[in-house]
């Protein structure tokens, strides 16, 4: 592990990113050329103190999950991401799934440009890899856990709180869609151990999943009409669209509403709420760096 080089590399990558590149407001009193340390920490779901220690060449060896989150936050390309892992003394994870998965550059580039609509990149096992602030305001930030629980599809059948995102009367529909989508993914991966383990665990833990799995319905979720329960805005009716990566392992999701609808008006309010939250966060960190 090369702490001084790791620290210098992190700072060099942070300095080159403009706030607008990652959907953050510029603000009138910005004193650094790129992102603040606190902003990188926020984008990577890390504590500001921990990230600051890394940039100062101190602290313990970062985990692969932490490095993957930093690679996404700093918009690292493939070679840069591998370099980050090498400097930290970690092996580059080959897995296409999980929180250590490297976001496909094409999807990440599109996500960076979707600043006026909620959008996020997920794996084909429904693990959120990166999201913009509007997506976080709409559906919340994903849990920072590893293993099957990182998957919304898994939590849907094992954690009742995961269903609070949708009205109860819509739950049967989403259960069927999750299972049909996972059937298609499992077939594409063949004997992929991660997919097989998830299916085995779900069949054991959820009778609902086991029953739906045995129907053998298959359909990738490409688009869907959703009603999302928001704590401040109530139920928001939106269309959810998916753009698949070339290998099918990742998807860019974005949410829209037809002009003139209540959903469109609610998205406008969501944008205001998100901007206010970010402005508050920025005011709290004006004297950093």
């Amino acid at each position: 592990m090369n702490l001084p080089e790791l620290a210098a590399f992190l700072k060099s990558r942070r300095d080159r990113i403009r706030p607008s590149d990652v959907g953050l407001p510029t603000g009138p009193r910005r004193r650094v050329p790129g992102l603040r340390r606190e902003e990188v920490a926020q984008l990577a779901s890390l504590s500001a103190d921990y990230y600051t220690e890394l940039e100062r060449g101190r602290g313990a060896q970062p985990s692969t999950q932490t490095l993957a989150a930093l690679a996404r936050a700093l918009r690292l390309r493939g070679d840069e991401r591998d370099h980050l892992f090498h400097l930290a003394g970690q092996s580059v994870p080959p897995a296409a799934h999980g929180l250590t998965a490297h976001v496909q550059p094409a999807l990440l580039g599109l996500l960076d440009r979707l600043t006026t609509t909620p959008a996020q990149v997920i794996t084909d096992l429904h693990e959120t890899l990166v999201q913009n602030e509007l997506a976080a305001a709409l559906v919340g930030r994903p849990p920072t856990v590893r293993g099957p629980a990182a998957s919304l599809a898994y939590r849907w059948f094992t954690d009742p709180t995961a269903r609070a995102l949708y009205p109860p009367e819509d739950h049967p529909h989403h259960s069927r869609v999750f299972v049909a989508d996972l059937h298609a993914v499992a077939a594409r991966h063949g004997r992929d151990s991660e997919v097989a383990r998830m299916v085995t665990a779900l069949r054991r833990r959820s009778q609902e999943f086991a029953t739906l799995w045995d129907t053998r319905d298959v359909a990738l979720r490409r688009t869907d009409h959703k009603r999302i329960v928001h704590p401040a805005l109530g139920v928001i009716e939106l269309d959810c669209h998916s753009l698949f990566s070339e290998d099918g392992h990742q998807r860019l999701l974005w949410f829209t509403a037809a002009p003139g609808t209540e959903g469109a008006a609610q998205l406008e309010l969501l944008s205001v709420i998100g901007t206010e939250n970010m402005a508050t966060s920025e005011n709290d960190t004006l004297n950093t760096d």
Side-chain angles (χ1 to χ4, degrees), residues 75-127:
R75 301 307 192 251
L76 300 188
R77 296 182 291 272
D79 290 339
E80 292 175 324
R81 182 228 186 200
D82 292 353
H83 185 61
L84 177 69
F85 274 79
H86 293 318
L87 290 177
Q90 296 280 16
S91 299
V92 178
H97 296 299
L99 299 182
T100 58
H102 185 47
V103 182
Q104 297 287 336
L107 298 186
L108 190 56
L110 286 173
L111 178 67
D112 287 342
R113 288 162 175 76
L114 292 175
T115 58
T116 60
T117 190
Q120 57 188 21
V121 177
I122 69 171
T123 71
D124 54 3
L125 294 185
H126 298 269
E127 302 152 320

Side-chain angles (χ1 to χ4, degrees), residues 122-284:
I122 69 171
T123 71
D124 54 3
L125 294 185
H126 298 269
E127 302 152 320
T128 300
L129 298 177
V130 62
Q131 59 185 179
N132 63 19
E133 287 301 320
L134 284 178
L138 178 66
V139 301
R141 298 194 184 278
T144 54
V145 296
R146 304 185 71 174
S151 164
L152 176 57
Y154 182 86
R155 296 196 309 275
W156 180 262
F157 292 100
T158 60
D159 180 2
T161 63
R163 300 195 174 200
L165 187 62
Y166 303 111
E169 57 269 27
D170 295 350
H171 291 179
H173 164 75
H174 292 294
S175 294
R176 291 192 298 271
V177 170
F178 273 129
V179 173
D181 186 87
L182 189 56
H183 244 306
V185 170
R188 288 185 171 194
H189 284 273
R191 297 182 180 275
D192 182 286
S193 59
E194 187 170 7
V195 180
R197 283 197 301 269
M198 178 178 291
V199 171
T200 299
L202 284 173
R203 287 181 65 89
R204 183 177 64 251
R205 295 193 59 182
S206 170
Q207 183 58 52
E208 179 190 18
F209 177 87
T211 300
L212 290 171
W213 186 262
D214 289 340
T215 66
R216 290 178 171 77
D217 290 338
V218 178
L220 287 172
R221 177 182 276 186
R222 292 182 171 87
T223 185
D224 201 359
H225 186 76
K226 296 184 176 182
R227 298 194 304 158
I228 295 176
V229 180
H230 189 272
L233 301 177
V235 177
I236 309 176
E237 290 202 34
L238 300 169
D239 292 313
C240 178
H241 310 277
S242 299
L243 177 66
F244 290 71
S245 61
E246 187 174 355
D247 62 10
H249 291 329
Q250 295 179 10
R251 310 169 188 185
L252 172 65
L253 305 183
W254 71 99
F255 300 86
T256 63
T261 63
E262 184 179 3
Q266 289 169 306
L267 280 185
E268 288 290 334
L269 288 174
L270 184 72
S271 178
V272 173
I273 291 172
T275 300
E276 289 177 347
N277 289 342
M278 285 305 301
T280 300
S281 176
E282 181 168 303
N283 289 336
D284 290 340

